[in-house]
């Protein structure tokens, strides 16, 4: 362990005294003490007490190439010595930024020939709001400024990101959403479609869920609607995988009303679903895409927006100066690391592996987990997956939300060397794209063990009857 502190207790004490964590009740954490993560290798991380943990969340949906990749460290080191920073304002540029922009347009769908860099996904989505409104201003339609998004979508934590997102708990703090952002319901078959549309197949429900966009457009007036934004698969919302019919229908509706279509690829981009981009998996053609996380496998902060020709042509030809940018837009060290990261994804054929080997294998393993008495449904898409914990399987009966059964399960994962997240009673994973078939078996065994422990605890508490 390479730490300047002598013990876990000391780090925890300093942490509690000074460090406000994201999305955390500080007082509650200070009482418990944070787990201190000290090392990572492949799909594993270690805490300061020496526990080895299978990180089935890839850090936070980002360490796509796994931990401990020397190539990325070397790229950062070399670039830091050569030129640690220079900006790309005032008629200057740096080679890593240029090369990364070119590389991204090579791997993106053909309509994308331009990139705007940010430092994170949230900043990328702030850029999206600015870009979308600038585009319609330049088109002589400034009143077209409403962006439609979805409840339970996640688009970041800045003012614009949190506003685009549909997390009601976030809106309650800070007077959100900002004006001009409205939400429609998410395409959530298991919770909503299955119960409220019992006569529709999942595919028919996908069309129905997409029709809510058209209803909202007509309610607002199409001349007011600038864009629609969504994640191909909702990540932070609990790995909500839409029916296959959903996105093509959303595309049709956006085309019909001339509305810009935005794919937030912060989680789905860079191979997560077995395609380079989530929009490729679901068959739609966005005008703008937000990216972050997997672009650098989380080794350094980096994000941005891929700008499709429809927007770029107007912005570049008619736009003059776009009065927007960040100090770290195109940061040379971040760009150098991203280039090395994309090289690994390509050379190790990680996207193809997810599509043909590990993704299908994870799907099989999750299908088998459906036999567990607590698992009401199991879904995967590439290397994301969700297990839904239920009280009863036939007929399906959900747990009382207040029991926070997902957190009980997460507690067992935490104590048994597995990082798996709970979103309500959905237990979700997004393991690194380098996870091997053998490691998927190991993951399945860990999950099964934690489900068994959860079942025993719930049974002892009398929550299963
Ligand atoms: N869009 C999407 C789709 C995301 O998942 C962001 C934007 C914002 O990116 P930054 O880099 O600003 O965090 C995200 C981030 C969770 C969780 O609880 C997910 C994210 C962030 C924090 C927590 O699953 N995703």
């Amino acid at each position: 362990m390479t730490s300047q502190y002598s013990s876990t207790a000391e780090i925890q004490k300093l942490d509690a005294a000074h460090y406000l964590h994201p999305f955390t009740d500080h007082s509650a954490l200070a009482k418990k003490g944070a787990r201190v993560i000290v090392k990572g290798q492949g799909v594993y991380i270690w805490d300061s007490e020496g526990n080895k943990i299978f990180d089935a969340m890839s850090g936070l949906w980002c360490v796509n190439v796994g931990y401990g990749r020397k190539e990325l460290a070397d790229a950062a080191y070399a670039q830091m010595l050569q030129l640690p920073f220079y900006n790309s304002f005032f008629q200057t540029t740096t080679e890593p930024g240029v090369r990364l922009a070119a590389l991204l347009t090579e791997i993106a769908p053909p309509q994308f020939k331009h990139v705007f860099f940010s430092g994170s996904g949230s900043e990328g989505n702030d850029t999206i709001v600015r870009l979308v409104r600038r585009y319609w201003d330049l088109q002589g339609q400034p009143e077209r400024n409403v962006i439609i998004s979805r409840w339970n979508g996640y688009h970041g934590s800045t003012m614009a990101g949190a506003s685009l997102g549909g997390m009601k708990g976030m809106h309650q703090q800070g007077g959100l959403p900002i004006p001009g952002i409205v939400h429609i319901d998410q395409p959530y078959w298991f919770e909503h479609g299955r119960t409220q549309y019992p006569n529709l197949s999942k595919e028919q429900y996908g069309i129905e869920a997409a029709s809510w966009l058209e209803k909202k457009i007509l309610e607002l007036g199409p001349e007011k609607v600038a864009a629609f934004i969504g994640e191909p698969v909702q990540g932070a919302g609990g790995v909500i995988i839409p029916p296959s019919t959903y996105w093509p229908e959303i595309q049709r509706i956006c085309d019909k009303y001339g509305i810009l279509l935005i794919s937030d690829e912060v989680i789905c981009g860079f191979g997560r679903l077995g395609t380079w981009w989530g929009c490729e998996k679901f068959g739609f053609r966005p005008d703008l895409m937000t990216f972050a996380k997997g672009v650098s496998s989380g080794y350094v902060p980096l994000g941005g927006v891929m700008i499709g020709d429809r927007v770029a042509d107007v912005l570049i030809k008619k736009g003059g100066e776009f009065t927007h940018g960040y100090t770290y837009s195109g940061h040379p060290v971040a760009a150098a690391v991203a280039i090395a990261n994309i090289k690994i994804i390509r050379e190790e054929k990680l996207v193809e592996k997810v599509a043909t080997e590990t993704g299908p294998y994870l799907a099989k393993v999750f299908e088998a987990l459906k036999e567990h008495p607590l698992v009401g449904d199991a879904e995967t898409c590439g290397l994301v997956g969700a297990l839904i914990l239920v009280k009863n399987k036939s007929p399906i009966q959900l747990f009382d939300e207040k029991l926070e059964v997902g957190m009980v399960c997460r507690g067992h994962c935490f104590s048994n060397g597995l990082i798996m997240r709970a979103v309500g009673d959905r237990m979700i994973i997004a393991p690194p794209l380098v996870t091997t078939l053998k490691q998927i078996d190991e993951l399945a065994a860990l999950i099964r063990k934690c489900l068994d422990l959860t079942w025993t605890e719930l049974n002892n508490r009398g929550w299963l009857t």
Side-chain angles (χ1 to χ4, degrees):
M1 186 180 130
T2 52
S3 169
Q4 59 181 305
Y5 304 109
S6 51
S7 70
T8 303
E10 186 179 357
I11 300 169
Q12 288 175 328
K13 198 169 148 212
L14 286 173
D15 186 67
H18 305 296
Y19 189 169
L20 289 182
H21 294 229
F23 284 89
T24 298
D25 175 340
H26 187 71
S27 310
L29 178 67
K31 277 189 208 122
K32 279 192 272 190
R35 177 180 254 183
V36 185
I37 305 301
V38 296
K39 189 174 89 173
Q41 187 62 44
V43 301
Y44 304 103
I45 53 174
W46 282 262
D47 69 16
S48 54
E49 298 295 288
N51 295 304
K52 181 182 178 187
I53 304 158
F54 194 125
D55 181 13
M57 280 308 298
S58 303
L60 200 51
W61 319 84
C62 51
V63 187
N64 287 12
V65 297
Y67 296 94
R69 304 299 302 242
K70 188 166 178 300
E71 303 93 313
L72 301 199
D74 287 344
Y77 182 73
Q79 186 57 44
M80 279 190 186
L81 288 180
Q82 173 73 29
L83 179 71
F85 176 76
Y86 202 74
N87 71 69
S88 53
F89 290 53
F90 323 128
Q91 207 189 335
T92 56
T93 197
T94 63
E95 183 167 349
V98 174
R99 296 231 173 264
L100 177 61
L103 182 56
L104 287 169
T105 61
E106 219 178 273
I107 60 177
Q111 69 270 29
F112 294 105
K113 297 187 197 72
H114 294 88
V115 186
F116 193 98
F117 289 113
S118 67
S120 69
S122 299
E123 284 178 7
N125 281 325
D126 273 51
T127 297
I128 290 257
V129 173
R130 297 283 311 273
L131 267 175
V132 162
R133 293 189 170 157
R134 177 77 181 138
Y135 170 81
W136 287 114
D137 278 351
L138 290 167
Q139 293 292 69
Q141 299 181 57
E143 68 289 352
R144 259 205 199 242
N145 60 15
V146 178
I147 302 177
I148 302 178
S149 176
R150 300 175 305 177
W151 294 118
N152 201 37
Y154 189 81
H155 298 293
S157 196
T158 51
M159 294 294 276
S163 296
L164 290 170
M167 301 296 181
K168 289 182 183 161
M170 291 174 77
H171 290 179
Q172 279 157 13
Q173 298 181 5
L176 303 178
I178 57 172
I181 293 173
V182 300
H183 298 80
I184 59 171
D185 272 329
Q186 57 179 332
Y188 186 3
W189 167 252
F190 188 81
E191 184 173 282
H192 179 243
R194 189 180 53 84
T195 51
Q196 295 189 29
Y197 296 86
N199 298 326
L200 299 188
S201 66
K202 200 169 177 179
E203 282 64 39
Q204 288 167 328
Y205 171 75
I207 303 280
E208 168 66 24
S211 79
W212 306 331
L213 173 60
E214 186 157 26
K215 281 204 190 86
K216 185 56 88 181
I217 292 168
L218 294 174
E219 182 191 313
L220 293 163
E223 71 288 353
K224 299 250 172 62
V225 181
F228 174 74
I229 183 167
E231 305 154 76
V233 168
Q234 288 156 252
V239 179
I240 314 289
I241 303 165
S244 61
T245 46
Y246 179 77
W247 278 110
E249 183 64 6
I250 291 282
Q251 172 86 65
R252 190 190 67 74
I253 295 164
C254 287
D255 289 348
K256 181 171 168 190
Y257 297 99
I259 288 164
L260 293 169
L261 178 52
I262 305 158
S263 187
D264 184 333
E265 299 272 353
V266 167
I267 284 177
C268 297
F270 300 92
R272 177 59 55 199
L273 307 183
T275 45
W276 273 98
W277 307 91
C279 59
E280 292 167 332
K281 176 85 176 186
F282 287 95
F284 65 104
R285 193 178 173 281
D287 298 298
L288 297 162
M289 300 196 295
T290 327
F291 63 87
K293 296 191 189 274
V295 65
S296 59
S297 281
Y299 278 58
V300 287
L302 179 65
V305 180
M306 300 299 302
I307 304 173
D309 292 340
R310 178 178 169 193
V311 175
D313 285 352
V314 172
L315 191 78
I316 295 164
K317 286 191 194 131
K318 286 205 213 167
E321 180 179 343
F322 180 39
T323 56
H324 175 72
Y326 309 104
T327 300
Y328 298 133
S329 286
H331 192 290
V333 175
V337 171
I339 291 166
N341 174 60
I342 292 168
K343 189 160 175 260
I344 291 179
I345 298 178
R346 275 181 155 173
E347 285 179 1
E348 298 184 7
K349 299 200 179 328
L350 295 179
V351 183
E352 295 82 347
K353 260 194 194 146
V354 173
T356 60
E357 286 175 32
T358 48
Y361 194 64
L362 182 71
K364 230 168 72 185
V365 158
F366 262 47
E367 190 60 32
L369 284 169
K370 274 191 191 170
E371 284 155 26
H372 194 278
L374 273 183
V375 177
D377 200 12
E379 297 176 277
T380 67
C381 184
L383 281 193
V384 291
L387 299 168
I388 300 133
L389 306 183
V390 296
K391 184 171 177 181
N392 210 326
K393 290 174 66 149
S394 76
I396 285 194
Q397 200 188 348
L398 306 177
F399 286 104
D400 182 343
E401 265 176 37
K402 290 192 224 79
L403 298 178
E404 297 194 350
V405 164
M407 292 304 280
V408 175
C409 184
R410 197 193 77 162
H412 287 294
C413 298
F414 211 80
S415 322
N416 285 277
L418 171 63
I419 303 259
M420 177 155 76
R421 284 226 14 231
V423 178
D425 292 345
R426 289 177 78 84
M427 301 307 301
I428 61 176
I429 58 159
L433 309 189
V434 291
T435 308
T436 62
L437 298 182
K438 202 162 151 251
Q439 286 167 335
I440 291 178
D441 284 337
E442 183 191 332
L443 174 61
L446 276 169
I447 293 176
R448 202 174 280 277
K449 177 179 174 192
C450 296
L451 288 172
D452 287 347
L453 289 166
T454 305
W455 188 90
T456 305
E457 179 170 347
L458 299 182
N459 195 38
N460 290 344
R461 291 190 189 185
W463 289 0
L464 293 176
T465 50

